[in-house]
Amino acid sequence: MKFKRILKTLRKGIDPAEAGLVDHPTPPHRLPDDKLRLHLFGADFDDAATAQQFCYGSGKPNAPEPLTMELEGAFIDTAHVEVIHGRITERLLEFLNDGEADDVLLRLGGDNTLIIITEEAFGGLPYSLDDTDTLTYLGEQIVNV
């Protein structure tokens, strides 16, 4: 999706970096020790097994996970990725208040899967996140540890 915007911008003769369409990964600001930054994504999968395979791969040696291939602006250690297919509201209410959970559910729309990536997944490296063909980036959420 972002690629299409960049191509359209290039056709108009505008530098995509100057137009703010090309992210330059930067490390996020440091949080207090009692806080954790989560990145939330929505997706629509046929079943939980398909969602799991997208995030954690097929189990074949040296085969990259589809999640890491689509989120090409970030190094991701999938040990810090959680997939929730169904019972999303219950999981959100474990770390968000009712209003925050409702906001995430509204942004989730008709997607049936929530993917949570904790800050540790990036290994301290800079990253940029956005929508992909499969994922809708719902934004970051700062939570208490």
Side-chain angles (χ1 to χ4, degrees), residues 73-96:
F75 163 82
I76 299 173
D77 176 353
T78 58
H80 300 282
V81 173
E82 180 180 356
V83 179
I84 301 100
H85 183 83
R87 304 185 62 90
I88 294 171
T89 303
E90 291 87 347
R91 180 63 180 112
L92 286 172
L93 289 172
E94 290 178 23
F95 57 89
L96 298 177

Side-chain angles (χ1 to χ4, degrees), residues 18 34-36 41 50 57 65 69 96 109 120 126 135 142 145:
E18 288 182 18
D34 63 339
K35 302 288 183 189
L36 178 65
F41 290 86
T50 306
E65 300 87 358
M69 292 177 63
L96 298 177
E120 289 89 3
L135 303 170
I142 308 294
V145 179

Side-chain angles (χ1 to χ4, degrees), residues 9-106:
T9 302
L10 284 173
R11 283 190 211 121
K12 292 180 181 179
I14 300 171
D15 180 2
E18 288 182 18
L21 296 175
V22 176
D23 290 335
H24 299 285
T26 57
H29 64 279
R30 183 159 161 66
L31 295 174
D33 290 339
D34 63 339
K35 302 288 183 189
L36 178 65
R37 181 178 290 110
L38 306 176
H39 295 276
L40 308 178
F41 290 86
D44 192 33
F45 292 103
D46 290 336
D47 53 44
T50 306
Q52 296 280 332
Q53 185 173 7
F54 177 82
C55 290
Y56 304 120
S58 62
K60 295 178 184 172
N62 301 319
E65 300 87 358
L67 172 73
T68 62
M69 292 177 63
E70 282 200 25
L71 291 174
E72 55 191 32
F75 163 82
I76 299 173
D77 176 353
T78 58
H80 300 282
V81 173
E82 180 180 356
V83 179
I84 301 100
H85 183 83
R87 304 185 62 90
I88 294 171
T89 303
E90 291 87 347
R91 180 63 180 112
L92 286 172
L93 289 172
E94 290 178 23
F95 57 89
L96 298 177
N97 65 39
D98 289 345
E100 293 167 330
D102 286 345
D103 182 53
V104 171
L105 291 169
L106 183 62

